[in-house]
Amino acid sequence: MPPMDHWEISFDEHGKASQAEIGKLLGELPGRGLTDLFVFSHGWNSDRRQARRLYDLYFGQVPGLLASDGAQGVKAGWLGVVWPSKRWADEPEPTAGADGGGAAGLGDGGAAGSPVPSDPLLVEDLKDVFEGTERQAALDELARLLEERPEDPAALARFQTLMGELATETDAGPAGEDQGELALLEDDPEEVFGRFADAVPQTGEGGAAGIGDTFGRLWNGAKEALRQLTYFEMKKRAGVVGKEGLGPLLGRIHQADPQLRIHLIGHSFGARLVSFALAGLPDPADSPVKSLYLLQGAFSHFAFADALPMDRSRGGALKGMAARVDGPLVASFTVHDTAVGKLYPLASLSSRDDAAGLEDRLFRWGGIGHDGAQAVDATVAALAPVGSSYPFQPGRFVNLDGNAIVNRGGPPSGAHSDIFHPELVWAGLAAAG
């Protein structure tokens, strides 16, 4: 099969795009005769090379799947979004397994045979996405504390304070359903770090703390709490880039090629990015978006809810946005995604919130990649073999249960990046019609 037409667009953390790349896209797109354009946003990959690898692994399967289905009159292309997200250096990149699908080797600390970076180096590596003198100084001190690991409660409290110096405030403030991470910075540090120490097995430098090694255990947890804090910062950034950057660009694409059908795909925080692009469409009444496909979305499963189950007077941050998709909305989920199913809500559990049991609180702060979109009257369907049909309807969510297929990967992320199965790619094509 000939390669698909494709483009890439880079955004900065404020949603400002490369004008040269936009000019190239808008100049070339109308002359290609495309019927459909898939717009894909990566999650916590940290550079163009990693993002491109993800897109190649995914879209490399599309021509063959279209041909096997005998698709007539379809000429599809893709647009890869590149934005400043950050994958910690001890986490492996999404890779395809030997069978052509799935994620091989997740949890192995990176490429085969590569050493796991030390804790201080892991923190130093964050400087390229946390700019500014004060934040860089905070990272230096965080790295030093992780290296020294003082047996001092005041040092643990200082570590939490420094985490807060990395956090940013958005103009609109956190969404009502998505502000639980405040507990990460406001609860007692020993209680917060203890939760993460219990949840994440430790390997490499620092290792598993021995019995009675109270401070060693808490410093292991502090490292994982910092990891989650940085991910929450990437989550906020994804919303800004989607609403301020990608949404307006979709309007310009529609102007340049009015007949082109646009399909949004996002993995992890990229799922939040493409979802917030709906809020940034310049003309919501004339949306070119024909499907929305969220692969292991790392944001609140209540984001699209008209009313939150715990507070019916409030809706999710994307209340009403489903109506801007002239076609199906689809979310893959699996209990094997521990990044979204365990660590994501864990950061939001406040020790002061004792009005509900643990399972209720985990659901309160749950992510879409763990159990799908909630409080949206969604249909649940099992991820099925290539060629299967699904109960897709315009403007309605279908939650794809991938437990039987999307299940490979070790700690701390589990199957979060196990997204290259042909069954998943097929489901996205089926949603696109």
Side-chain angles (χ1 to χ4, degrees):
M1 297 293 294
M4 297 171 65
D5 288 317
H6 63 277
W7 298 265
E8 293 175 358
I9 295 291
S10 304
F11 294 94
D12 68 14
E13 63 181 294
H14 306 293
K16 185 177 180 180
S18 165
Q19 294 305 304
E21 291 173 351
I22 288 181
K24 183 176 186 294
L25 169 68
L26 298 181
E28 296 177 354
L29 191 57
R32 298 298 177 91
L34 299 182
T35 58
D36 297 80
L37 181 69
F38 293 94
V39 180
F40 199 148
S41 174
H42 64 79
W44 55 58
N45 299 294
S46 58
D47 60 26
R48 184 181 294 271
R49 178 191 62 82
Q50 293 164 345
R52 182 175 290 154
R53 186 159 180 255
L54 182 152
Y55 302 144
D56 285 346
L57 287 169
Y58 187 92
F59 288 109
Q61 302 183 53
V62 169
L65 290 172
L66 287 176
S68 69
D69 189 52
Q72 299 295 318
V74 173
K75 186 179 181 183
W78 59 269
L79 172 65
V81 174
V82 181
W83 61 287
S85 183
K86 187 65 179 179
R87 176 185 61 88
W88 273 42
D90 63 343
E91 294 186 13
E93 303 169 29
T95 57
D99 59 356
L106 283 176
D108 63 5
S114 62
V116 177
S118 67
D119 290 349
L121 288 179
L122 287 174
V123 177
E124 289 284 335
D125 189 52
L126 300 174
K127 285 187 174 181
D128 57 352
V129 290
F130 289 99
E131 299 177 351
T133 303
E134 293 182 359
R135 297 168 97 189
Q136 301 261 312
L139 286 170
D140 286 336
E141 191 173 349
L142 285 164
R144 179 181 60 77
L145 287 170
L146 272 184
E147 183 175 31
E148 297 175 355
R149 296 178 167 233
E151 295 188 1
D152 182 2
L156 292 167
R158 176 61 180 166
F159 193 91
Q160 186 186 47
T161 298
L162 291 166
M163 286 170 50
E165 293 182 11
L166 297 181
T168 58
E169 292 291 335
T170 60
D171 291 341
E177 85 288 355
D178 228 5
Q179 61 184 357
E181 60 259 32
L182 296 176
L184 192 67
L185 302 174
E186 296 177 353
D187 267 22
D188 177 76
E190 294 187 35
E191 198 276 332
V192 171
F193 300 158
R195 288 202 301 262
F196 280 93
D198 293 339
V200 182
Q202 293 293 317
T203 58
E205 182 174 305
I211 296 175
D213 184 6
T214 300
F215 281 99
R217 170 179 168 273
L218 290 175
W219 282 114
N220 286 343
K223 169 188 169 183
E224 298 307 323
L226 175 61
R227 185 194 305 268
Q228 198 65 26
L229 184 278
T230 63
Y231 287 163
F232 280 135
E233 288 301 298
M234 296 306 106
K235 183 188 73 173
K236 295 176 189 176
R237 184 175 295 180
V240 173
V241 174
K243 185 176 181 180
E244 304 299 330
L246 182 58
L249 176 60
L250 296 179
R252 296 181 66 180
I253 292 174
H254 185 46
Q255 285 184 328
D257 194 344
Q259 302 306 313
L260 185 66
R261 295 158 42 88
I262 294 177
H263 310 283
L264 301 181
I265 309 173
H267 170 234
S268 185
F269 292 135
R272 190 174 198 259
L273 191 154
V274 297
S275 295
F276 271 78
L278 299 172
L281 290 172
D283 185 1
D286 185 26
S287 172
V289 179
K290 302 301 179 182
S291 68
L292 176 70
Y293 191 23
L294 310 178
L295 290 165
Q296 299 311 119
F299 64 114
S300 173
H301 54 193
F302 295 128
F304 285 89
D306 288 337
L308 303 180
M310 70 292 300
D311 184 354
R312 305 294 298 179
S313 68
R314 294 186 296 138
L318 294 170
K319 175 182 177 180
M321 293 300 109
R324 300 187 179 186
V325 180
D326 185 20
L329 301 92
V330 186
S332 74
F333 72 91
T334 173
V335 296
H336 305 290
D337 184 341
T338 51
V340 177
K342 180 183 288 186
L343 300 184
Y344 182 91
L346 192 67
S348 302
L349 299 184
S350 171
S351 60
R352 299 184 296 274
D353 182 14
D354 57 2
L358 177 61
E359 289 301 316
D360 290 337
R361 286 188 285 159
L362 286 171
F363 181 68
R364 164 72 176 86
W365 300 112
I368 201 167
H370 176 66
D371 55 5
Q374 298 295 315
V376 292
D377 195 25
T379 299
V380 179
L383 184 61
V386 169
S388 300
S389 60
Y390 290 95
F392 295 137
Q393 298 180 49
R396 295 287 299 277
F397 261 102
V398 171
N399 291 331
L400 285 184
D401 182 345
N403 288 321
I405 296 174
V406 185
N407 53 27
R408 292 193 289 181
S413 297
H416 185 64
S417 293
D418 190 17
I419 61 170
F420 301 110
H421 295 280
E423 296 89 342
L424 280 173
V425 181
W426 170 258
L429 294 175

